[in-house]
Amino acid sequence: MRNQTSMRLIFELSRSGRGSTVLPPLDVPEQHVQDLLPPDSLADAPPPLPEVAEPDVVRHFTNLSTLNMAVDTHYYPLGSCTMKYNPKRNERLSSLPGFLHLHPYQDEETLQGLLQVLFELQQTLGEIAGLPAVTLQPAAGAHGELTALMIAAAYFRDLGQQRTKVLAPDSAHGTNPASARMAGFQTVTVKSTRAGFVDVDDLRAKLDDSVAVFMITNPNTLGLFDQQMSQIADWVHERGGLIYLDGANMNAILGIARPGDFGADMMHYNPHKTFSGPHGGGGPGAGPVCVRRHLGDYLPAPVVSRHGDRFTLEKLPPKSIGRVRSFFGNVGVLLRAYCYLCTHGPDGLRRVSENAVLNANYLLSRVKHFLPVPQGDRCMHEFVASASKLKKETGVTAMDLAKRLLDYGFHAPTVYFPLTVPEAVMVEPTETESKETLDAFAETLFRITGETAELLHEAPHSTLISRPDEVQAARKPVMRWTSE
Amino acid sequence: MQKEGITVNEEQLLYSSSHEWVRLREDEGGKVATIGISAFAVQQLTDLVFMELPEVGRQIAAGEEFGEVESVKAVSPLYSPVDGEIIAVNSELPDRLETLGDDPYEKGWIMKVRLTDESSLARLMDYSAYQKQCSEEG
């Protein structure tokens, strides 16, 4: 069945002179490149581009694409990533010619439909967040974090306050401290308790007038809702700091709890997670940011506003941090989020979260008997099991379990994150999976824990590449193809 | 007092809760601490890919970050167990990270610090206390 040449590089398929391009006759005067560019700008030889016939190109990439796992082909319980099903109607609606063929330089009058959609998306996201001022500009969740922290920096500069630190718990996504550093802050880690919540004694010891922002993910990366949230927000606000909510886990609380109500001043969404956009090849994504009204003056431009029946793009407001993305952001993924929100409506979104939490708890109840879940018997939208005991008894690691699942046709859960759980196996089923799928996954995982260590150390056995050498890949990455 | 080149007995080292080990020696200028990371820590980190060393001459406080190690799993900060001035670093180590696993207490040393304050030593653990911590974490 498998095409045996499909793993060869496109360069290796190349044969000199074998092109697949048919060009129309030249209808302009011919000019040589030597007459247009100075000699030192000319290459000595043409670049070594692959010369391949069209069917070979198509087969090459089509075959490679079938080696991948996707939500449309496999169950994908990748914790923290919310790999829910991406409804096809979103694809169809976001590809309507009226959206698809717009150009950002068109006159505003001719963009009214799109601007209305973006305006309504701003309103809806603000309402779900409980934070009314919204920008759709950031191109990804981490970009949203950076945008919000730049807003915080501008805000404190305006107040004449020297605040240099950003606090984040040790269970935070790695993007939190990275964004804080990029925005010019020093990052300070706050410990978690054994139960998986913010260690409030450690937080209070580190909380002083130099703290600009406390970044918190709630529900957190262990799949737990930190019920100290409002108290934490009060402490931070008493010292003049701001609360940033990393909205990665919004899929657990849509229509149930609003971050603005539990103390957040700023947050981002990941539309590709929560609102069913595709997780595609690194982009294009979006990371809309919502903030309290008094921080709205600092939002990046443009923001869509409404004047009667007319929608306009507001140019830079006086306190704006500037532009963070060209044009209107990544409109395609925003349109998909809008379709998803309209499809479900307020009650439907609440049911999305209820079912996400129900599915996670059902799976937790089946898994915890053979793979301990250190942080308790209940969870929100995901849970973190530990293969620590298994490793001690048999030498089988979280990585071994993850790799072996591929052989059974399941995508692996997230492993070794969060860092606070040894041998972490982080499972997020999402609301779109059936009980049968969850049962099949739990039974397979159970079966794997009974397999021999020798078999598991060598897994996966059924994929074209088994275990890439991650050490060499990190230390000596081969980034370029050369003919030698 | 330990001398360089003599087989190190890991039971005679001091340990921090963040898995750095400390070996003390005395010279004319006072106490010098040689610092590395424990075999348990290296094992937990799994396959190492990068390491960042501090600069010689830097003043460092106990609990302060002095470098980091990156494995295929995560980046982990290294914390100084003592207060003092960094007088030497094992500059060959980042190119031979396997040394950390093969010989963590001798050739795998990371830096040497001339102590300016000895009070932080009281917070370090002896071998048996450290073993107890490791068995709880592992």
Side-chain angles (χ1 to χ4, degrees):
Chain A
M1 264 291 269
R2 180 167 278 158
N3 181 333
Q4 297 303 319
T5 64
S6 64
M7 288 296 285
R8 292 172 67 192
L9 300 176
I10 190 94
F11 291 97
E12 293 166 348
L13 301 175
S14 176
R15 291 293 174 272
S16 182
R18 183 181 292 169
S20 24
T21 322
V22 183
L23 293 173
L26 191 65
D27 59 355
V28 290
E30 187 174 346
Q31 283 200 284
H32 292 285
V33 68
Q34 295 90 328
D35 304 330
L36 298 170
L37 292 174
D40 59 349
S41 296
L42 296 173
D44 297 329
L49 297 175
E51 298 176 76
V52 189
E54 183 166 320
D56 294 330
V57 177
V58 170
R59 273 177 211 149
H60 175 74
F61 288 108
T62 306
N63 278 309
L64 282 182
S65 77
T66 63
L67 300 179
N68 212 348
M69 279 182 157
V71 173
D72 283 355
T73 56
H74 295 81
Y75 175 49
Y76 216 116
L78 192 64
S80 201
C81 294
T82 317
M83 303 298 288
K84 65 171 76 179
Y85 174 68
N86 307 150
K88 298 302 164 241
R89 65 160 22 185
N90 295 352
E91 303 302 314
R92 198 169 66 243
L93 294 172
S94 63
S95 304
L96 289 176
F99 292 127
L100 202 60
H101 300 315
L102 293 180
H103 192 280
Y105 282 138
Q106 269 178 242
D107 187 82
E108 220 170 73
E109 278 306 318
T110 67
L111 293 171
Q112 286 296 304
L114 175 68
L115 294 183
Q116 181 177 352
V117 164
L118 296 179
F119 178 80
E120 288 174 7
L121 181 59
Q122 287 175 187
Q123 299 291 102
T124 308
L125 294 179
E127 186 181 336
I128 296 169
L131 297 166
V134 182
T135 172
L136 304 175
Q137 291 284 306
H143 193 198
E145 293 174 22
L146 177 65
T147 300
L149 290 167
M150 289 169 71
I151 289 171
Y155 170 69
F156 289 119
R157 222 168 17 244
D158 260 12
L159 294 179
Q161 295 180 4
Q162 293 279 335
R163 290 179 182 265
T164 52
K165 289 183 201 156
V166 166
L167 307 184
D170 52 12
S171 59
H173 296 109
T175 49
N176 289 186
S179 299
R181 286 288 276 272
M182 284 189 73
F185 292 103
Q186 182 196 340
T187 60
V188 179
T189 304
V190 176
K191 287 183 197 147
S192 299
T193 62
R194 262 181 186 276
F197 300 110
V198 172
D199 181 335
V200 291
D201 293 332
D202 194 47
L203 169 66
R204 298 193 77 181
K206 287 166 179 168
L207 192 58
D208 58 30
D209 296 340
S210 69
V211 172
V213 179
F214 179 54
M215 301 180 85
I216 184 166
T217 311
N218 202 19
N220 65 23
T221 56
L222 292 161
L224 305 170
F225 191 92
D226 198 324
Q227 299 195 6
Q228 312 166 105
M229 184 69 227
S230 294
Q231 176 65 66
I232 289 170
D234 286 346
W235 286 327
V236 172
H237 289 149
E238 276 165 23
R239 300 307 292 260
L242 296 172
I243 296 282
Y244 182 81
L245 181 99
D246 177 329
N249 295 339
M250 282 302 286
N251 209 44
I253 59 170
L254 294 173
I256 298 168
R258 302 197 306 171
D261 294 344
F262 59 67
D265 302 294
M266 314 181 283
M267 69 164 288
H268 79 263
Y269 288 98
N270 299 98
H272 61 282
K273 297 183 185 179
T274 316
F275 305 130
S276 79
H279 291 62
V289 168
C290 306
V291 299
R292 288 202 189 283
R293 199 170 294 287
H294 70 282
L295 297 169
D297 294 343
Y298 298 90
L299 289 177
V303 173
V304 186
S305 62
R306 179 183 196 155
H307 304 281
D309 292 340
R310 205 165 164 277
F311 299 90
T312 55
L313 286 166
E314 294 295 325
K315 304 292 180 276
L316 286 184
K319 290 181 174 176
S320 171
I321 60 166
R323 297 199 71 121
V324 299
R325 178 75 174 79
S326 55
F327 301 117
F328 318 150
N330 285 331
V331 171
V333 72
L334 295 171
L335 286 172
R336 288 173 177 85
Y338 178 80
C339 294
Y340 184 81
L341 290 165
C342 292
T343 302
H344 286 286
D347 295 335
L349 288 174
R350 189 186 169 102
R351 280 198 300 278
V352 162
S353 286
E354 288 169 350
N355 283 323
V357 173
L358 180 64
N359 271 2
N361 277 282
Y362 177 70
L363 201 48
L364 166 69
S365 75
R366 293 215 51 177
V367 167
K368 67 180 182 186
H369 305 294
F370 58 89
L371 212 55
V373 178
Q375 270 79 21
D377 293 335
R378 282 276 185 276
C379 64
M380 294 294 287
H381 62 300
E382 65 189 349
F383 63 90
V384 182
S386 170
S388 208
K389 187 161 166 277
L390 190 68
K391 187 182 168 191
K392 260 186 207 161
E393 290 167 2
T394 65
V396 170
T397 64
M399 184 63 83
D400 295 336
L401 297 179
K403 295 285 188 188
R404 181 61 174 154
L405 277 166
L406 306 181
D407 284 333
Y408 287 98
F410 292 107
H411 193 279
T414 298
V415 288
Y416 301 108
F417 182 83
L419 304 176
T420 48
V421 177
E423 296 297 319
V425 178
M426 188 189 206
V427 182
E428 180 178 14
T430 83
E431 73 282 3
T432 53
E433 297 303 326
S434 67
K435 180 172 176 296
E436 290 74 20
T437 302
L438 301 182
D439 284 337
F441 175 75
E443 280 152 24
T444 303
L445 193 56
F446 176 67
R447 181 174 165 183
I448 291 172
T449 56
E451 291 183 326
T452 66
E454 294 71 36
L455 181 73
L456 298 183
H457 290 326
E458 300 294 317
H461 301 274
S462 58
T463 56
L464 221 50
I465 293 177
S466 181
R467 295 208 186 191
D469 187 340
E470 292 181 55
V471 176
Q472 285 297 94
R475 296 184 76 170
K476 289 179 187 160
V478 180
M479 308 300 283
R480 292 185 63 186
W481 175 83
T482 50
S483 56
E484 284 87 44
Chain B
M1 290 302 117
Q2 292 283 353
K3 271 191 179 168
E4 304 293 335
I6 292 178
T7 307
V8 175
N9 184 346
E10 59 184 273
E11 295 179 20
Q12 289 168 359
L13 301 176
L14 295 171
Y15 297 88
S16 69
S17 58
S18 49
H19 303 286
E20 290 83 12
W21 57 257
V22 178
R23 186 169 76 226
L24 290 170
R25 109 183 122 80
E26 204 127 13
D27 66 12
E28 312 79 56
K31 278 199 173 119
V32 171
T34 303
I35 291 158
I37 52 176
S38 74
F40 175 82
V42 176
Q43 190 204 336
Q44 291 290 307
L45 288 166
T46 70
D47 298 323
L48 300 175
V49 292
F50 287 111
M51 171 169 217
E52 200 174 285
L53 294 173
E55 297 216 348
V56 173
R58 178 176 146 194
Q59 295 290 329
I60 195 153
E64 198 180 327
E65 204 176 307
F66 70 82
E68 56 187 34
V69 280
E70 183 174 344
S71 73
V72 291
K73 288 197 309 201
V75 180
S76 306
L78 301 169
Y79 298 104
S80 177
V82 298
D83 301 280
E85 182 191 341
I86 300 172
I87 56 169
V89 294
N90 187 352
S91 51
E92 288 176 4
L93 202 53
D95 296 324
R96 292 182 197 163
L97 288 172
E98 59 281 0
T99 314
L100 279 171
D102 297 342
D103 194 2
Y105 302 108
E106 258 192 288
K107 287 186 185 143
W109 68 276
I110 299 173
M111 66 167 180
K112 295 181 184 183
V113 175
R114 183 176 297 286
L115 302 195
T116 51
D117 182 348
E118 296 184 21
S119 60
S120 62
L121 296 178
R123 289 198 292 274
L124 300 178
M125 285 173 268
D126 65 13
Y127 180 74
S128 66
Y130 179 66
Q131 285 302 104
K132 189 161 168 286
Q133 182 192 316
C134 291
S135 66
E136 282 166 9
E137 284 183 24

